[in-house]
Amino acid sequence: SAVISQKPSRDICQRGTSLTIQCQVDSQVTMMFWYRQQPGQSLTLIATANQGSEATYESGFVIDKFPISRPNLTFSTLTVSNLSPEDSSIYLCSGTGGSYEQYFGPGTRLTVT
Amino acid sequence: QKEVEQNSGPLSVPEGAIASLNCTYSDRVSQSFFWYRQYSGKSPELIMSIYSNGDKEDGRFTAQLNKASQYVSLLIRDSQPSDSATYLCAVGLVSGTYKYIFGTGTRLKVLA
């Protein structure tokens, strides 16, 4: 299994600013994903982070709001831009190996004031 | 629209009993199936994966897959209070790229 770290673990940001979340995997993974989880709800896929190219975004998520980078196989960043209180959520990154088993980082809890 | 459905619960079972969690999915091209456990305030933890019809056992956990009925279940034998958590069913499929669709989760309470 992959061990995935994220930072920061939590942050409080002001409206209109941006937050960049980093995700590091301890071994090479085939796929990396970014999810959002609202309190008491399930996981919603934001995008697939593609190595060296633009991320693949799900319906309702756009690159201008959620720019993602993945410069190599073990590292990715998600930026949440122009923050509003509706962006308050937990953001999770995950990595998947050859067996398609997906492992999650500990999450980043974002509060927008 | 691709969907994964679970009963939200809570499902309450006494300690030592078998807990049965169910999940149905709508997309017939779904290829891989997973159960995650999520404790409050924590990220999801993978507990079982299953890829072909039938049963797969791992310790106290058994996953069952029936692709014809588009149904996957998780049995937890000898349930313990520490099993109390939300259990998420996830389906992996190709839709443009490979992705995962999560159910809304079933909250399990094991009563001591």
Side-chain angles (χ1 to χ4, degrees):
Chain A
S1 65
V3 176
I4 301 178
S5 60
Q6 277 183 245
K7 57 181 180 181
S9 59
R10 58 179 62 225
D11 207 341
I12 301 173
C13 300
Q14 291 192 341
R15 184 194 301 255
T17 63
S18 299
L19 175 69
T20 295
I21 303 167
Q22 298 181 6
C23 178
Q24 178 73 53
V25 186
D26 71 335
S27 58
Q28 292 186 350
V29 294
T30 305
M31 298 179 283
M32 292 183 75
F33 301 92
W34 286 97
Y35 291 85
R36 182 171 71 185
Q37 187 173 30
Q38 307 278 18
Q41 299 189 20
S42 190
L43 281 71
T44 300
L45 180 62
I46 297 172
T48 303
N50 299 310
Q51 184 197 359
S53 64
E54 187 173 298
T56 303
Y57 290 86
E58 296 300 303
S59 176
F61 298 95
V62 295
I63 188 171
D64 289 346
K65 176 68 175 178
F66 298 98
I68 289 170
S69 75
R70 187 183 174 189
N72 56 54
L73 285 172
T74 62
F75 184 79
S76 179
T77 66
L78 166 71
T79 299
V80 189
S81 303
N82 190 24
L83 290 167
S84 67
E86 293 72 36
D87 296 319
S88 296
S89 188
I90 296 172
Y91 292 85
L92 293 153
C93 75
S94 71
T96 303
S99 64
Y100 295 106
E101 292 184 342
Q102 182 176 205
Y103 297 91
F104 286 87
T108 296
R109 182 181 296 271
L110 169 62
T111 302
V112 182
T113 60
Chain B
Q1 183 174 351
K2 300 170 178 54
E3 292 183 347
V4 177
E5 296 188 354
Q6 297 179 253
N7 188 318
S8 62
L11 172 66
S12 295
V13 300
E15 184 175 357
I18 296 175
S20 178
L21 306 166
N22 304 315
C23 171
T24 58
Y25 59 94
S26 63
D27 199 315
R28 289 191 170 275
V29 301
S30 300
Q31 299 178 338
S32 54
F33 307 86
F34 307 91
W35 283 99
Y36 288 84
R37 178 175 62 199
Q38 187 172 28
Y39 293 113
S40 180
K42 301 293 186 182
S43 64
E45 171 193 8
L46 179 66
I47 53 174
M48 288 290 288
S49 60
I50 187 166
Y51 306 96
S52 56
N53 283 328
D55 296 359
K56 178 182 178 183
E57 186 174 319
D58 184 359
R60 295 187 296 113
F61 300 99
T62 298
Q64 299 174 318
L65 175 62
N66 184 324
K67 289 187 177 181
S69 300
Q70 295 178 236
Y71 174 93
V72 58
S73 65
L74 179 70
L75 300 177
I76 306 175
R77 290 181 299 280
D78 188 23
S79 296
Q80 301 298 310
S82 59
D83 294 326
S84 298
T86 296
Y87 289 80
L88 299 168
C89 172
V91 170
L93 51 87
V94 176
S95 178
T97 60
Y98 202 92
K99 65 177 65 173
Y100 300 83
I101 309 298
F102 280 79
T104 53
T106 298
R107 191 154 58 97
L108 173 66
K109 290 185 175 180
V110 181
L111 307 173

